[in-house]
Amino acid sequence: MLIAAAAVLGVVAGTCTGYLVQADREPTGLPPLSQPVLTQSKGEAPEPLSAARDRRVRTDGDLRELLLEKPRGTREPDWPMGEDGWMGLAEYAGHYEDSGSMFGQLAMDEFRRAAVVGWLDDDDYSVEIRLVQFRQEETLAAAGNVENSQYWAEDMEDTDSWAVPGTEEGRAYVHHSPDAEPGYEPLYGAEAHAWRGDVAMEVWVYGNKPVPKKMIMDLAERQMERL
């Protein structure tokens, strides 16, 4: 008991001594709360981008002006393509097999508008190009739209695909097996899908003979350059 009492008294004495030593010391100053003042650069601020260089200004304008122009000598298509170059949500969703479900999905993805152009050339190839724009306040819907289209394109048999230069994961596809139905000529197809910002690009080419790789790639590259 004497040893235990001595140990307790020793701890108490050491603690008191520590407090007394600390009380005799000068207080340590705290570091300043404010950060050092940063010098502001001099000179004029850079000029804002022109409409030609600001992609957002261009895509918020008339989206139809960003579509490829119809080549000279081509003919008007014989299939409906929106009204005055515009395609509404219902018409766009109608191009999918399950149009009802796609309508709801596009509405959830904040579909904004779609611009479309198409033509028939002398070799009887039909071309249709769509620019589909989304509001993208919640998700990157343009990228999702392209990913969904690529999934179905890659699921088709006897198909080759290539990356579209200058795009983020954009690809072009040529389907070598035609769509053959009784009473109709075989129909060959090719397609390309890419996106930039809030706009998804779709290029569709059909013909009664195989679509050349050069044709679909050229259309996709030139259209993406305009975005």
Side-chain angles (χ1 to χ4, degrees):
M1 291 181 62
L2 291 175
I3 294 173
V8 172
L9 290 174
V11 172
V12 173
T15 303
C16 293
T17 303
Y19 277 116
L20 291 173
V21 171
Q22 184 67 25
D24 290 337
R25 291 178 178 176
E26 293 291 332
T28 303
L30 295 175
L33 296 178
S34 60
Q35 297 295 323
V37 179
L38 300 177
T39 57
Q40 186 174 2
S41 60
K42 298 181 180 180
E44 297 181 358
E47 295 183 1
L49 293 175
S50 63
R53 296 178 59 194
D54 191 336
R55 196 197 66 81
R56 187 59 184 266
V57 171
R58 288 183 287 128
T59 56
D60 276 348
D62 191 338
L63 201 60
R64 296 171 300 178
E65 295 180 357
L66 299 182
L67 288 163
L68 286 179
E69 296 181 0
K70 296 180 183 179
R72 292 182 179 180
T74 57
R75 308 186 304 277
E76 289 293 325
D78 54 2
W79 66 90
M81 287 194 316
E83 183 176 351
D84 194 26
W86 294 109
M87 184 177 288
L89 173 56
E91 183 176 358
Y92 178 72
H95 285 82
Y96 290 84
E97 185 173 343
D98 189 356
S99 58
S101 176
M102 195 61 193
F103 183 95
Q105 183 61 52
L106 288 166
M108 291 178 58
D109 288 341
E110 300 174 295
F111 173 94
R112 179 179 175 185
R113 55 183 179 169
V116 60
V117 67
W119 61 81
L120 289 167
D121 65 15
D122 292 336
D123 294 327
D124 290 329
Y125 284 116
S126 65
V127 177
E128 183 170 341
I129 303 175
R130 307 171 194 157
L131 298 180
V132 187
Q133 191 171 35
F134 298 84
R135 291 184 175 84
Q136 298 203 149
E137 295 177 2
E138 300 293 337
T139 60
L140 295 177
N145 179 273
V146 169
E147 183 179 349
N148 180 63
S149 299
Q150 290 178 341
Y151 171 82
W152 291 109
E154 293 170 358
D155 192 51
M156 298 182 67
E157 297 181 356
D158 199 14
T159 296
D160 286 331
S161 69
W162 306 270
V164 178
T167 68
E168 188 170 350
E169 300 181 1
R171 297 195 70 83
Y173 303 85
V174 170
H175 309 298
H176 299 290
S177 296
D179 183 9
E181 295 185 12
Y184 294 91
E185 292 185 359
L187 188 66
Y188 293 87
E191 56 190 285
H193 304 278
W195 63 279
R196 182 160 292 149
D198 56 357
V199 178
M201 177 208 71
E202 302 176 4
V203 181
W204 305 87
V205 181
Y206 295 99
N208 53 18
K209 53 186 177 182
V211 180
K213 170 189 173 183
K214 184 179 184 301
M215 182 179 186
I216 187 67
M217 289 289 288
D218 178 67
L219 288 169
E221 288 184 56
R222 291 193 294 118
Q223 179 58 75
M224 288 303 294
E225 288 174 356
R226 297 178 66 91
L227 296 177

